[in-house]
Amino acid sequence: QVTLVESGGGTVQTGGSLRLSCAAAGYTYVGYCMGWFRQAPGKEREEVSTIYFFARDNHFANFADPVKGRFTLARDSAKNTLYLDMSSLKPEDTGTYFCAAGGRKFGSACTDFTFWGQGTQVTVST
């Protein structure tokens, strides 16, 4: 059984940084996509970043335009954990952030994620 547990959310001021963690249990990375999504109150869930693992240490990542240059991904294979490092945070980054796994690679994109975490709240204050 695959489980994803997010952590690291919180409240920061504009311009601050946060690191979100997604601990994956019972999950095989290679050949599948993982990703981070977010949902602001009253808005649709949107993709933040996705990553496809060709092999243990070979991957391809995408970032949504609003976060390019500010957010990065990292992975600790020993801990089976995917991180979303967020910097230069803006109020519009506020929302619940969800980790997803088991996605399919479709061209340069990832889709059809099977597994989802419970979400972690990020609030960026002015």
Side-chain angles (χ1 to χ4, degrees), residues 27-108:
Y27 179 69
T28 300
Y29 285 84
V30 176
Y32 296 96
C33 293
M34 291 189 74
W36 287 96
F37 294 76
R38 67 186 181 188
Q39 187 168 19
K43 294 188 176 182
E44 297 283 322
R45 186 173 63 195
E46 63 176 357
E47 179 181 304
V48 174
S49 178
T50 60
I51 182 168
Y52 175 78
F53 294 91
F54 295 95
R56 181 185 175 93
D57 296 312
N58 186 4
H59 58 265
F60 177 82
N62 282 315
F63 294 88
D65 286 343
V67 307
K68 281 181 180 176
R70 300 189 296 122
F71 291 12
T72 58
L73 291 173
R75 186 170 86 90
D76 185 331
S77 57
K79 296 181 179 179
N80 279 347
T81 299
L82 182 70
Y83 301 99
L84 180 67
D85 290 308
M86 308 184 294
S87 62
S88 301
L89 283 163
K90 305 174 182 179
E92 50 264 44
D93 294 318
T94 294
T96 303
Y97 282 69
F98 299 90
C99 176
R104 293 190 303 114
K105 183 176 178 294
F106 188 78
S108 61

